[in-house]
Amino acid sequence: RQLRVSPHVLGHSKAHVGRVVAELVRAAKAQGLQPGPLALSLRGDFVRIGSAYEQHKVRSPDCFDILVPLRLPPHLEPQPRCAHGPGPRGDFVCGLRARDGWSRRCRPFAEGFCVELQSRSHLSSGLVLRWFHGHLQRCLGAVRYRLQERCRISLSACPGHPPTLHIVPCSDYVCCHISMAVRLIPAIPLGDALYLTALPPQSSPGPPAPDALWGLNASRQEQRLLSWLKEQAPASSCHLKCLQILKGLRDLRGQGLEEPFCSQWGRVLSSYVLKTALFSVLLQGPLEAWDERFLVERLEDLVLYLRDCLRKQVLMDFFLGNTSIPEAVALPRFLKEAAPVNLLAAFDGPTLDLVAFQLISTWIQAPHIIRMYSSPRYLRPVP
């Protein structure tokens, strides 16, 4: 009752978001500069990612993630490589290669979108984010006018974060009157359905400068793996339901935690970490064991696996450098050859030990926590 999302409402919400984002991307592409030596441009498409499109959304379908691919000037190609330094492992920097060699015509683009690292120009995630937000903001007027009978829309952004499109449907347009927030994430395509996206500023302390760092987005590979698992697992498999319940318990437990541990709890047990743990546990044993009648046992397996990872301070990214992924899920060479990444490397031992203790406590007290923190008195918006 707490977590289940109505397929009807979710379907209407996704369709409405798709129409609005398509209008905005189309307008931004039409009004932007043509690809040239001076600027970025929008490729013209967008990629739906995240829980709303992977069937493990919880509560209300009011938040969505959309990748918006960008196009570099035609004479430049991205050259990503792992960043080295004290920041969390898994960060990338994006060098640029000019097909005809660097020349004067590249200088305006480098001055507008690049930072210097080791005497070389690297694409700046911070500068790209600022350009992207400004570009969409300039196009919002035309889109708002065209959509005014359907909904009210606005755009907001925090420094260092992707802009968020806020959609408020008009009461006479759709049957599901839910205000929706759509995170529009600018993405640099690398081919093979891989993208570079800007990292949140707090996750990248130390050199190289946070403005130069990017994260690798493999959402399409995650969707392919989920599709393959759906085909291989029993028709009544509970693996996505386990993920939803674990996300829900994490959020409920967070209602009773004080800062600063509450924020650390949410960051350590991020949805990506929980999904990575699920992938790892799923491929350890027979998929027949995930029939819905074994839901409690599988959920406990997942909790215990996470506890062990937290105690060992190691949870490896499922796609970067993983050689044990089923051959049926074709992975790009770039992912196979990447250095393995520990998703927990950014957190200190005492924090992970405390999260592990709190996780087991939450599992043992789950019925009590559900009763206590599900009342309206305790519910507060999840960031």
Side-chain angles (χ1 to χ4, degrees):
R1 287 199 300 270
Q2 289 287 326
L3 304 177
R4 186 178 293 117
V5 177
S6 162
H8 171 79
V9 176
L10 181 59
H12 271 261
S13 299
K14 289 195 293 189
H16 192 51
V17 165
R19 284 192 291 268
V20 174
V21 172
E23 289 272 3
L24 182 57
V25 169
R26 191 180 302 120
K29 184 188 179 188
Q31 294 187 20
L33 296 171
Q34 293 299 315
L38 302 180
L40 292 165
S41 61
L42 269 67
R43 201 169 69 179
D45 59 336
F46 57 92
V47 182
R48 301 166 176 89
I49 64 171
S51 59
Y53 302 100
E54 296 173 357
Q55 312 308 316
H56 54 88
K57 183 74 176 167
V58 297
R59 296 195 180 90
S60 177
D62 53 359
C63 297
F64 299 84
D65 283 343
I66 301 285
L67 288 183
V68 182
L70 305 181
R71 179 177 283 141
L72 294 173
H75 59 280
L76 292 178
E77 294 178 350
Q79 287 192 315
R81 59 182 174 82
C82 284
H84 301 290
R89 295 179 61 192
D91 299 349
F92 287 80
V93 292
C94 183
L96 294 172
R97 185 179 79 85
R99 292 192 180 96
D100 304 322
W102 281 90
S103 60
R104 268 188 180 177
R105 65 174 183 161
C106 302
R107 192 173 302 162
F109 181 83
E111 290 173 353
F113 296 100
C114 295
V115 292
E116 289 290 322
L117 290 177
Q118 299 173 349
S119 303
R120 285 188 58 199
S121 289
H122 288 74
L123 197 61
S124 164
S125 56
L127 294 174
V128 169
L129 273 175
R130 284 196 284 274
W131 171 85
F132 181 70
H133 179 233
H135 189 52
L136 292 185
Q137 193 72 56
R138 287 190 293 273
C139 300
L140 199 60
V143 177
R144 185 183 286 123
Y145 176 77
R146 286 204 294 268
L147 297 173
Q148 61 185 356
E149 293 183 1
R150 303 181 188 177
C151 58
R152 299 192 306 275
I153 60 175
S154 60
L155 197 68
S156 66
C158 296
H161 293 269
T164 299
L165 183 69
H166 301 278
I167 304 173
V168 182
C170 295
S171 59
D172 59 347
Y173 178 65
V174 290
C175 63
C176 309
H177 312 306
I178 298 176
S179 298
M180 292 165 280
V182 186
R183 198 165 58 134
L184 299 173
I185 306 168
I188 305 299
L190 301 180
D192 293 318
L194 289 174
Y195 300 90
L196 290 179
T197 57
L199 289 169
Q202 69 268 19
S203 70
S204 308
D211 256 14
L213 293 175
W214 298 82
L216 186 68
N217 187 289
S219 293
R220 298 304 292 271
Q221 280 70 33
E222 295 171 26
Q223 292 170 359
R224 290 171 187 166
L225 179 60
L226 285 169
S227 297
W228 179 81
L229 288 168
K230 184 178 179 180
E231 294 173 359
Q232 303 299 315
S236 59
S237 176
C238 63
H239 62 282
L240 292 181
K241 190 174 288 187
C242 284
L243 180 57
Q244 290 174 301
I245 292 172
L246 195 53
K247 287 161 68 174
L249 285 174
R250 172 202 61 192
D251 295 343
L252 285 182
R253 176 71 274 185
Q255 306 292 343
L257 299 176
E258 299 293 331
E259 294 292 357
F261 180 63
C262 181
S263 296
Q264 294 171 330
W265 167 261
R267 285 199 297 271
V268 172
L269 297 181
S270 67
S271 294
Y272 187 74
V273 163
L274 299 185
K275 185 160 61 169
T276 299
L278 175 69
F279 286 153
S280 300
V281 176
L282 270 167
L283 296 183
Q284 282 182 357
L287 291 174
E288 291 75 18
W290 289 84
D291 189 275
E292 188 158 15
R293 66 183 185 273
F294 305 123
L295 183 143
V296 176
E297 291 90 337
R298 298 294 77 78
L299 191 52
E300 183 164 290
D301 288 346
L302 188 54
V303 169
L304 294 177
Y305 177 82
L306 266 171
R307 179 203 60 184
D308 293 343
C309 290
L310 292 166
R311 287 178 173 175
K312 297 173 184 174
Q313 304 176 29
V314 175
L315 176 63
M316 305 308 293
D317 187 282
F318 192 76
F319 290 97
L320 287 170
N322 187 352
T323 57
S324 61
I325 293 178
E327 292 183 2
V329 183
L331 287 187
R333 181 179 173 184
F334 185 85
L335 281 183
K336 293 178 180 178
E337 296 179 353
V341 169
N342 179 12
L343 299 179
L344 302 179
F347 305 99
D348 58 60
T351 296
L352 296 179
D353 286 341
L354 190 54
V355 171
F357 169 79
Q358 195 63 250
L359 177 64
I360 292 299
S361 174
T362 300
W363 174 242
I364 293 172
Q365 302 178 56
H368 170 71
I369 289 171
I370 292 169
R371 283 194 302 269
M372 182 174 181
Y373 293 113
S374 295
S375 66
R377 172 185 172 189
Y378 281 100
L379 287 177
R380 64 183 181 215
V382 177

Coordinates of all heavy atoms in Angstrom, one line a residue, residues 203-249:
S203 N 30.5 15.3 -4.5 CA 31.1 14.0 -4.6 C 32.5 14.0 -5.1 O 33.1 13.0 -5.3 CB 30.3 13.0 -5.5 OG 30.3 13.5 -6.8
S204 N 33.0 15.2 -5.4 CA 34.3 15.3 -6.1 C 35.3 16.3 -5.5 O 35.6 17.3 -6.1 CB 34.0 15.7 -7.6 OG 33.1 14.9 -8.1
P205 N 35.7 16.1 -4.2 CA 36.7 17.0 -3.6 C 38.1 16.7 -4.2 O 38.4 15.6 -4.6 CB 36.6 16.6 -2.1 CG 36.2 15.2 -2.1 CD 35.3 15.0 -3.3
G206 N 38.9 17.7 -4.1 CA 40.3 17.6 -4.4 C 40.5 17.6 -5.9 O 39.6 17.7 -6.7
P207 N 41.8 17.6 -6.4 CA 42.2 17.6 -7.8 C 41.8 16.3 -8.5 O 41.8 15.3 -7.8 CB 43.7 17.9 -7.8 CG 44.1 17.4 -6.4 CD 43.0 17.6 -5.5
P208 N 41.5 16.3 -9.8 CA 41.4 17.5 -10.6 C 40.1 18.3 -10.1 O 39.3 17.8 -9.4 CB 41.2 17.0 -12.0 CG 40.7 15.6 -11.8 CD 41.3 15.1 -10.6
A209 N 40.0 19.6 -10.6 CA 38.9 20.4 -10.2 C 37.6 19.8 -10.5 O 37.4 19.1 -11.5 CB 39.0 21.7 -11.0
P210 N 36.6 19.9 -9.6 CA 35.3 19.2 -9.8 C 34.7 19.6 -11.1 O 34.0 18.8 -11.7 CB 34.5 19.8 -8.6 CG 35.5 20.1 -7.5 CD 36.7 20.6 -8.3
D211 N 34.9 20.8 -11.6 CA 34.3 21.2 -12.8 C 34.8 20.4 -14.0 O 34.2 20.4 -15.1 CB 34.7 22.7 -13.1 CG 33.5 23.6 -12.8 OD1 32.5 23.1 -12.2 OD2 33.5 24.8 -13.2
A212 N 35.9 19.7 -13.8 CA 36.4 18.9 -15.0 C 36.0 17.4 -14.9 O 36.2 16.7 -15.8 CB 38.0 18.9 -14.9
L213 N 35.3 17.0 -13.9 CA 34.9 15.6 -13.7 C 33.6 15.3 -14.2 O 32.6 16.0 -14.1 CB 35.0 15.3 -12.2 CG 36.4 15.3 -11.5 CD1 36.3 15.1 -10.1 CD2 37.3 14.3 -12.2
W214 N 33.5 14.1 -14.7 CA 32.2 13.5 -15.3 C 32.0 12.1 -14.7 O 33.0 11.4 -14.3 CB 32.3 13.4 -16.8 CG 32.5 14.7 -17.5 CD1 33.7 15.4 -17.7 CD2 31.5 15.5 -18.1 NE1 33.4 16.5 -18.4 CE2 32.1 16.6 -18.7 CE3 30.1 15.3 -18.3 CZ2 31.4 17.6 -19.4 CZ3 29.4 16.3 -19.0 CH2 30.0 17.4 -19.5
G215 N 30.8 11.7 -14.7 CA 30.4 10.3 -14.4 C 30.0 9.5 -15.6 O 29.5 10.1 -16.6
L216 N 30.2 8.2 -15.6 CA 29.8 7.4 -16.8 C 28.4 6.9 -16.5 O 28.2 6.3 -15.5 CB 30.8 6.3 -16.9 CG 30.6 5.4 -18.2 CD1 30.9 6.2 -19.4 CD2 31.5 4.1 -18.1
N217 N 27.5 7.1 -17.5 CA 26.2 6.7 -17.3 C 25.9 5.5 -18.2 O 26.1 5.6 -19.5 CB 25.2 7.8 -17.7 CG 23.7 7.4 -17.4 OD1 23.2 6.6 -18.1 ND2 23.2 8.0 -16.4
A218 N 25.6 4.3 -17.6 CA 25.4 3.1 -18.4 C 23.9 2.7 -18.2 O 23.6 1.5 -18.1 CB 26.3 2.0 -17.9
S219 N 23.0 3.6 -18.1 CA 21.6 3.3 -17.9 C 21.0 2.3 -18.9 O 20.2 1.5 -18.6 CB 20.7 4.6 -17.8 OG 21.1 5.4 -16.7
R220 N 21.4 2.5 -20.2 CA 20.8 1.6 -21.2 C 21.3 0.2 -21.0 O 20.6 -0.8 -21.2 CB 21.3 2.1 -22.6 CG 20.7 3.5 -23.0 CD 19.2 3.6 -22.8 NE 18.5 2.8 -23.8 CZ 18.2 3.2 -25.1 NH1 18.5 4.5 -25.4 NH2 17.6 2.5 -25.9
Q221 N 22.5 0.0 -20.5 CA 23.0 -1.4 -20.2 C 22.2 -2.0 -19.0 O 21.9 -3.1 -19.0 CB 24.5 -1.3 -19.9 CG 25.4 -1.3 -21.1 CD 25.3 0.0 -21.9 OE1 25.1 1.1 -21.2 NE2 25.5 0.0 -23.2
E222 N 21.9 -1.1 -18.0 CA 21.1 -1.6 -16.9 C 19.7 -2.0 -17.4 O 19.2 -3.0 -16.9 CB 21.0 -0.4 -15.9 CG 22.3 0.0 -15.2 CD 22.1 1.2 -14.4 OE1 21.0 1.5 -13.9 OE2 23.1 1.9 -14.2
Q223 N 19.1 -1.3 -18.3 CA 17.8 -1.6 -18.8 C 17.9 -2.9 -19.6 O 17.0 -3.8 -19.5 CB 17.3 -0.5 -19.7 CG 17.0 0.8 -18.9 CD 16.6 2.0 -19.7 OE1 16.7 1.9 -20.9 NE2 16.3 3.1 -19.1
R224 N 19.0 -3.1 -20.3 CA 19.1 -4.4 -21.1 C 19.2 -5.6 -20.1 O 18.7 -6.6 -20.3 CB 20.4 -4.3 -22.0 CG 20.2 -3.4 -23.2 CD 21.6 -3.2 -23.9 NE 21.5 -2.2 -24.9 CZ 22.6 -1.7 -25.5 NH1 23.8 -2.1 -25.1 NH2 22.4 -0.7 -26.4
L225 N 20.0 -5.4 -19.0 CA 20.2 -6.5 -18.1 C 18.8 -6.8 -17.4 O 18.5 -7.9 -17.2 CB 21.2 -6.1 -17.0 CG 21.5 -7.1 -15.9 CD1 21.9 -8.4 -16.5 CD2 22.5 -6.6 -14.9
L226 N 18.1 -5.7 -17.0 CA 16.8 -6.0 -16.4 C 15.8 -6.7 -17.4 O 15.0 -7.6 -17.0 CB 16.1 -4.6 -16.0 CG 16.7 -4.0 -14.7 CD1 16.3 -2.5 -14.6 CD2 16.4 -4.8 -13.5
S227 N 15.9 -6.4 -18.7 CA 15.0 -7.1 -19.6 C 15.4 -8.5 -19.7 O 14.6 -9.4 -19.8 CB 15.2 -6.4 -21.0 OG 14.7 -5.0 -21.0
W228 N 16.8 -8.8 -19.7 CA 17.2 -10.2 -19.8 C 16.8 -10.9 -18.6 O 16.4 -12.1 -18.7 CB 18.7 -10.2 -20.0 CG 19.3 -11.6 -20.0 CD1 19.4 -12.4 -21.1 CD2 19.9 -12.3 -19.0 NE1 20.0 -13.6 -20.8 CE2 20.3 -13.6 -19.5 CE3 20.1 -12.0 -17.6 CZ2 20.9 -14.5 -18.7 CZ3 20.8 -13.0 -16.8 CH2 21.1 -14.2 -17.4
L229 N 16.9 -10.3 -17.4 CA 16.5 -11.0 -16.2 C 15.0 -11.3 -16.2 O 14.6 -12.3 -15.7 CB 16.9 -10.1 -15.0 CG 18.4 -10.0 -14.6 CD1 18.6 -8.9 -13.6 CD2 18.9 -11.3 -14.1
K230 N 14.2 -10.4 -16.7 CA 12.8 -10.6 -16.8 C 12.5 -11.8 -17.6 O 11.5 -12.6 -17.3 CB 12.1 -9.4 -17.3 CG 10.6 -9.4 -17.3 CD 10.0 -8.2 -17.9 CE 8.4 -8.3 -17.9 NZ 7.8 -7.0 -18.4
E231 N 13.2 -12.0 -18.7 CA 13.0 -13.2 -19.6 C 13.4 -14.5 -18.9 O 12.8 -15.5 -19.1 CB 13.8 -13.0 -20.9 CG 13.3 -11.9 -21.7 CD 14.2 -11.6 -22.9 OE1 15.2 -12.3 -23.0 OE2 13.9 -10.7 -23.7
Q232 N 14.5 -14.4 -18.1 CA 15.1 -15.6 -17.5 C 14.4 -16.0 -16.2 O 14.3 -17.2 -15.9 CB 16.6 -15.5 -17.2 CG 17.4 -15.1 -18.5 CD 17.3 -16.2 -19.5 OE1 17.5 -17.3 -19.3 NE2 17.1 -15.7 -20.8
A233 N 13.9 -15.1 -15.4 CA 13.4 -15.3 -14.1 C 11.9 -15.8 -14.3 O 11.3 -15.7 -15.3 CB 13.4 -14.0 -13.3
P234 N 11.4 -16.4 -13.2 CA 10.0 -16.9 -13.2 C 9.0 -15.7 -13.5 O 9.4 -14.5 -13.2 CB 9.7 -17.4 -11.8 CG 11.1 -17.7 -11.3 CD 12.0 -16.8 -11.9
A235 N 7.9 -16.0 -14.1 CA 6.9 -14.9 -14.4 C 6.5 -14.1 -13.2 O 6.2 -12.9 -13.2 CB 5.7 -15.5 -15.1
S236 N 6.5 -14.8 -12.0 CA 6.1 -14.2 -10.8 C 7.3 -13.7 -9.9 O 7.2 -13.7 -8.7 CB 5.2 -15.1 -9.9 OG 6.0 -16.3 -9.6
S237 N 8.4 -13.4 -10.6 CA 9.7 -13.1 -9.9 C 9.4 -11.8 -9.0 O 8.7 -10.9 -9.4 CB 10.8 -12.8 -10.9 OG 11.9 -12.4 -10.2
C238 N 10.1 -11.8 -7.9 CA 9.9 -10.7 -6.9 C 11.1 -9.8 -6.8 O 11.2 -9.0 -5.9 CB 9.6 -11.3 -5.5 SG 10.9 -12.3 -4.8
H239 N 12.0 -9.9 -7.8 CA 13.3 -9.1 -7.6 C 13.1 -7.6 -7.6 O 13.7 -6.9 -6.8 CB 14.3 -9.6 -8.7 CG 14.0 -9.3 -10.1 ND1 13.1 -10.1 -10.8 CD2 14.3 -8.4 -11.0 CE1 13.0 -9.7 -12.0 NE2 13.7 -8.6 -12.1
L240 N 12.2 -7.1 -8.5 CA 11.9 -5.7 -8.5 C 11.1 -5.3 -7.3 O 11.3 -4.2 -6.7 CB 11.2 -5.3 -9.8 CG 12.0 -5.4 -11.1 CD1 11.2 -5.0 -12.3 CD2 13.3 -4.6 -11.0
K241 N 10.2 -6.2 -6.8 CA 9.5 -5.9 -5.6 C 10.4 -5.8 -4.4 O 10.3 -4.9 -3.5 CB 8.4 -6.9 -5.3 CG 7.4 -6.5 -4.3 CD 6.3 -7.6 -4.2 CE 5.3 -7.4 -5.4 NZ 4.1 -8.3 -5.2
C242 N 11.4 -6.6 -4.3 CA 12.4 -6.6 -3.3 C 13.2 -5.2 -3.3 O 13.4 -4.6 -2.2 CB 13.5 -7.7 -3.4 SG 12.9 -9.3 -2.9
L243 N 13.5 -4.8 -4.5 CA 14.2 -3.5 -4.6 C 13.3 -2.3 -4.1 O 13.7 -1.4 -3.4 CB 14.6 -3.2 -6.0 CG 15.4 -1.9 -6.3 CD1 16.6 -1.8 -5.5 CD2 15.7 -1.9 -7.8
Q244 N 12.0 -2.4 -4.5 CA 11.1 -1.4 -4.1 C 10.9 -1.3 -2.5 O 10.9 -0.3 -1.9 CB 9.7 -1.6 -4.7 CG 9.7 -1.3 -6.2 CD 8.4 -1.7 -6.8 OE1 7.9 -2.8 -6.8 NE2 7.7 -0.7 -7.4
I245 N 10.8 -2.5 -1.9 CA 10.6 -2.6 -0.5 C 11.8 -2.1 0.2 O 11.7 -1.3 1.2 CB 10.3 -4.0 -0.1 CG1 8.9 -4.4 -0.6 CG2 10.3 -4.2 1.5 CD1 8.5 -5.9 -0.4
L246 N 13.0 -2.4 -0.3 CA 14.2 -2.0 0.4 C 14.4 -0.5 0.3 O 14.8 0.2 1.2 CB 15.5 -2.7 -0.3 CG 16.8 -2.6 0.5 CD1 16.6 -3.0 2.0 CD2 17.9 -3.4 -0.2
K247 N 14.0 0.1 -0.9 CA 14.0 1.6 -1.0 C 13.1 2.2 -0.1 O 13.3 3.2 0.5 CB 13.7 1.9 -2.5 CG 14.9 1.7 -3.5 CD 14.4 1.6 -4.9 CE 13.9 2.9 -5.4 NZ 13.6 2.8 -6.9
G248 N 11.9 1.6 0.1 CA 10.9 2.1 1.0 C 11.3 2.1 2.4 O 11.1 3.1 3.2
L249 N 11.9 1.0 2.8 CA 12.4 0.9 4.2 C 13.5 1.9 4.5 O 13.6 2.5 5.5 CB 12.9 -0.6 4.5 CG 11.8 -1.6 4.7 CD1 12.5 -3.0 4.8 CD2 11.0 -1.3 5.9

